[in-house]
Amino acid sequence: MNLPEDLPKAELHLHIEGTLEPELAFALAARNGVHLPFADTDELRRAYRFEDLQSFLDLYYALMAVLRTADDFTELADAYLARAAAQGVRHAEIFFDPQAHTSRGVPFGTVVEGLARALEGSEERHGVTTRLIMCFLRDESAESAMATLEEAKPYLRHITGVGLDSAEVGHPPAKFREVYEAAAALGLRRVAHAGEEGPPSYIRDALDLLGVERIDHGLRAMEDPGLVERLVRDRVPLTLCPLSNVRLRAVDVLEDHPLKAMMDAGLLVTVNSDDPAYFGGYVGETFHAVREALALTEEDLRRLARNSFEAAFLDQEDEALRARYLAEVEAYTFD
Ligand code: ADE
Ligand code: ZN
């Protein structure tokens, strides 16, 4: 029997820095002469016990110290794309956090050129089409976000959209209104993390003030029936990350995850891995885990895969590609 892992799918919520496996972290540390405060990969893995989003972010940003050259970013992204391809991913929309690198003295161009090299070879090497989305860190200032958008201008051919991530609570969307307006004027697509730990009002504000087309997470939408109605009516995609929600304690156990309830409510949800090196699974393993925990049917899994291609930033020129991917989903057999 086929495993649901190899169901054709798009991954729409994936932080490339969150794919840094301990083995690669130590290899890059050695190559770049960076000291890591862990004896070995086992000790590092033992640190992957998180209380909440912030406790994860502290380690996530600390480990980025090993990423220094364009080659490092190419190697990181290529390793992710190879793993994703092996788990049925046909299309990946990949986040990166430029400010987390420029603040350490790694130039914006080094990061983008390194990532772009891997992404440009991806269709041929791995059979995965890609998009790149740059995220602003919401716990940094609006001025820093605007300066980052300015730095991106020479590289816009590589960048499809902007997102908003990092510590959510206390950093509502309103602060980033101007930079999202400027991004839209440059023709960039817009998404934002909202309702991961923050309240449903952050989801409304991301839609109303930032004009986003998709919400990343959106887990807490379910607390606000009026908001659910709006998201259903407008078919706003929510890129859920169930294993992340368990590891960062947004839900206690996977069996309590609202994914199925959200599908039943008519929401256009997708299943994604967020930061798979840290949260115990890439997207194929995530599909497998939610199938088991929530007793999803084959039709539920097929619908999640279909949703992922419907929500993908494949514009008019790419409609044939979307149609091909959707046909692959329909043709997939589970046994
Ligand atoms: N950066 C990387 N992963 C994140 C997450 N789950 N939420 C917010 N910011 C992030
Ligand atoms: Zn995320």
Side-chain angles (χ1 to χ4, degrees):
M1 189 180 98
N2 284 342
L3 296 167
E5 279 93 329
D6 65 5
L7 176 66
K9 60 183 83 66
E11 169 129 86
L12 305 179
H13 186 155
L14 180 282
H15 302 265
I16 199 63
E17 297 91 344
T19 69
L20 180 61
E21 292 285 345
E23 290 72 20
L24 183 58
F26 273 92
L28 294 178
R31 192 157 96 192
N32 293 328
V34 173
H35 172 73
L36 286 177
F38 301 93
D40 53 30
T41 55
D42 287 342
E43 192 182 307
L44 176 53
R45 276 207 171 83
R46 281 198 291 276
Y48 292 2
R49 296 220 171 88
F50 307 113
E51 303 297 315
D52 54 16
L53 175 58
Q54 189 61 55
S55 63
F56 155 69
L57 290 171
D58 292 343
L59 183 61
Y60 168 80
Y61 292 127
L63 274 196
M64 286 184 204
V66 304
L67 295 164
R68 301 224 57 94
T69 68
D71 282 349
D72 299 343
F73 286 93
T74 305
E75 204 170 320
L76 179 71
D78 195 60
Y80 161 69
L81 289 161
R83 277 178 185 262
Q87 300 196 352
V89 172
R90 298 285 191 279
H91 177 80
E93 304 199 346
I94 296 176
F95 294 139
F96 73 112
D97 285 328
Q99 290 154 292
H101 308 301
T102 53
S103 64
R104 305 181 286 110
V106 180
F108 190 99
T110 299
V111 180
V112 176
E113 280 166 9
L115 293 175
R117 224 183 287 147
L119 270 55
E120 279 165 3
S122 171
E123 197 167 357
E124 197 178 310
R125 278 166 63 74
H126 307 294
V128 180
T129 51
T130 58
R131 298 287 182 271
L132 194 55
I133 298 176
M134 64 175 228
C135 289
F136 304 117
L137 301 183
R138 67 199 308 152
D139 44 357
E140 297 291 330
S141 68
E143 291 72 26
S144 173
M146 196 61 98
T148 302
L149 184 64
E150 200 57 44
E151 281 185 284
K153 283 185 177 168
Y155 304 98
L156 290 182
R157 68 188 179 284
H158 298 303
I159 298 171
T160 295
V162 296
L164 188 62
D165 65 2
S166 201
E168 185 182 10
V169 174
H171 302 283
K175 179 165 111 182
F176 297 97
R177 198 177 185 151
E178 281 181 16
V179 74
Y180 268 68
E181 261 173 38
L186 291 170
L188 292 164
R189 312 293 293 259
R190 290 167 287 174
V191 299
H193 283 52
E196 179 184 17
E197 288 187 343
S201 63
Y202 284 23
I203 300 174
R204 288 181 183 278
D205 287 353
L207 295 167
D208 294 333
L209 307 180
L210 307 184
V212 302
E213 298 171 71
R214 295 195 304 240
I215 296 288
D216 295 312
H217 293 294
L219 190 70
R220 292 189 58 190
M222 291 299 268
E223 294 169 26
D224 180 341
L227 176 60
V228 170
E229 203 175 301
R230 172 181 179 183
L231 295 167
V232 170
R233 185 193 65 220
D234 296 343
R235 290 189 65 69
V236 179
L238 308 178
T239 63
L240 297 175
C241 304
L243 295 183
S244 164
N245 299 147
V246 174
R247 291 298 185 101
L248 303 186
R249 313 260 187 109
V251 301
D252 288 335
V253 289
L254 201 53
E255 286 72 11
D256 291 346
H257 197 281
L259 164 67
K260 179 73 169 114
M262 294 172 93
M263 293 177 77
D264 291 344
L267 289 163
L268 201 170
V269 296
T270 69
V271 164
N272 307 271
S273 65
D274 209 6
D275 300 286
Y278 295 89
F279 300 150
Y282 285 73
V283 71
E285 286 124 12
T286 308
F287 264 71
H288 184 72
V290 293
R291 176 198 211 174
E292 297 294 305
L294 302 172
L296 298 186
T297 64
E298 291 175 359
E299 192 40 42
D300 291 332
L301 297 171
R302 200 185 301 278
R303 181 164 149 211
L304 289 168
R306 209 184 281 133
N307 286 350
S308 73
F309 293 116
E310 281 178 13
F313 287 150
L314 293 167
D315 53 29
Q316 277 169 353
E317 296 146 48
D318 302 313
E319 280 307 332
L321 187 60
R322 194 198 310 273
R324 194 181 92 206
Y325 289 144
L326 286 168
E328 269 191 65
V329 173
E330 300 315 318
Y332 181 81
T333 50
F334 284 89
D335 45 25

